[in-house]
Amino acid sequence: MTQTQPPHINRKLNVQAWWLTALLISINVGLFIWQIVSGVDISDPAIKDALRWGADFTPLTFSGQPERLFTSMFFHFGIIHLMLNMWALYIFGNVAEALFGRLYFIGLYLLAGLFGSLLSSYINIQNGHELLQHFDQSLLPHVSAGASGAVMGLGAALTVLSLFPPLPHQVYILDKKALLMIMAINLIFGLVATGINNAAHVGGMIMGALLALIWYLSYRTQFKSLLKFLGLVGGLFMTVGFYIYCNQLNSPLLPLWHEVLIQNPEILP
């Protein structure tokens, strides 16, 4: 997922302030190295390998393997995909971790990634209902993976914060114009380029923006800790509720997904 030049932050960040971001990057890179050592192609992984390592594929995800919504956040389609996402995670993550605090940061990151995966699955499920009416190869679901939904959630969160006056304790001044331009370019590029899961980007952005707004508003009240906690809990309930809705919407498609899997046994892990 291509990312453009990040906004300039007005002071240098201490590595100790963003060790959780460094840990997330290390996990992604470590898993990628493990995959390569196990025989996965470094530049163009086979679909079967992607699924074996937890990529998201709606016929599997909504046929008893919902954990793919999470595991797909840690698989990447080749080294270029990994490098772009990890660079963006470093750029957005070190600032977001310092601003939001580690607990809120990791909650936002994971919820944005999950909601992005869910929105992608929702689009596939809607296309599946169209497939029941008339067959169109382009409506078949694609295998998807990557940290970009979560990363775009961080980008959207920082963008939302840049729209408001800085809080008294906020030590980093965010460049509103640069952030808006970056997010717009990513969305436009996702619409015009092939092979990019823009639904995951949008889903991550929705969750990231919502949680950032709640976080900001919490500091305008006397109950900031409670509101931040309720924000994360609300984001979790929103994600779970969306999953339940998608699962219900998917129920009539189970025979279709079963047929897709039977006709493509070579891709199954």
Side-chain angles (χ1 to χ4, degrees):
M1 314 306 176
T2 302
Q3 302 288 343
T4 59
Q5 181 65 30
H8 175 71
I9 306 301
N10 67 337
R11 69 174 62 179
K12 188 175 180 180
L13 294 173
N14 190 329
V15 174
Q16 295 178 352
W18 53 274
W19 65 261
L20 189 52
T21 298
L23 178 62
L24 287 171
I25 294 173
S26 299
I27 291 172
N28 278 277
V29 173
L31 285 172
F32 185 78
I33 294 173
W34 186 7
Q35 292 154 15
I36 301 310
V37 171
S38 71
V40 177
D41 191 291
I42 192 171
S43 59
D44 187 21
I47 296 299
K48 184 174 184 177
D49 287 331
L51 293 176
R52 183 163 60 90
W53 282 93
D56 184 21
F57 186 47
T58 301
L60 289 175
T61 302
F62 283 87
S63 297
Q65 299 180 29
E67 66 276 5
R68 290 182 178 276
L69 296 168
F70 174 78
T71 57
S72 61
M73 296 164 55
F74 297 92
F75 179 86
H76 290 85
F77 287 101
I79 191 168
I80 300 299
H81 186 204
L82 174 73
M83 290 174 63
L84 290 172
N85 275 338
M86 293 305 99
W87 172 246
L89 175 54
Y90 162 72
I91 293 301
F92 290 137
N94 61 31
V95 180
E97 183 176 343
L99 284 174
F100 292 116
R102 293 192 177 96
L103 179 60
Y104 204 86
F105 163 78
I106 193 62
L108 188 154
Y109 180 86
L110 294 176
L111 287 171
L114 288 171
F115 202 78
S117 297
L118 276 171
L119 187 60
S120 176
S121 293
Y122 172 77
I123 299 299
N124 287 331
I125 290 170
Q126 292 286 12
N127 289 340
H129 283 280
E130 290 189 40
L131 268 172
L132 292 179
Q133 305 299 322
H134 61 279
F135 182 79
D136 183 347
Q137 188 76 20
S138 66
L139 295 175
L140 288 171
H142 298 285
V143 176
S144 60
S148 56
V151 171
M152 290 291 280
L154 295 179
L158 293 177
T159 303
V160 166
L161 290 188
S162 74
L163 301 177
F164 295 99
L167 294 167
H169 73 285
Q170 188 173 320
V171 294
Y172 304 123
I173 305 303
L174 302 172
D175 190 328
K176 177 173 63 176
K177 292 182 179 179
L179 282 164
L180 287 171
M181 183 177 66
I182 289 171
M183 302 308 288
I185 289 175
N186 274 278
L187 284 177
I188 293 171
F189 187 74
L191 288 172
V192 300
T194 58
I196 294 181
N197 189 351
N198 216 33
H201 289 186
V202 173
M205 290 174 64
I206 291 172
M207 182 60 71
L210 178 62
L211 291 179
L213 180 61
I214 293 172
W215 181 89
Y216 183 86
L217 293 177
S218 73
Y219 280 90
R220 297 295 185 182
T221 73
Q222 298 178 344
F223 310 101
K224 57 180 182 294
S225 296
L226 176 62
L227 287 180
K228 286 192 292 184
F229 172 74
L230 292 177
L232 291 177
V233 172
L236 178 61
F237 274 104
M238 180 177 169
T239 302
V240 172
F242 193 27
Y243 169 76
I244 293 173
Y245 173 71
C246 287
N247 207 35
Q248 293 174 343
L249 195 64
N250 180 72
S251 295
L253 299 178
L254 290 176
L256 173 63
W257 298 149
H258 183 65
E259 183 179 348
V260 169
L261 295 174
I262 289 178
Q263 292 179 357
N264 298 275
E266 71 281 358
I267 70 172
L268 295 180

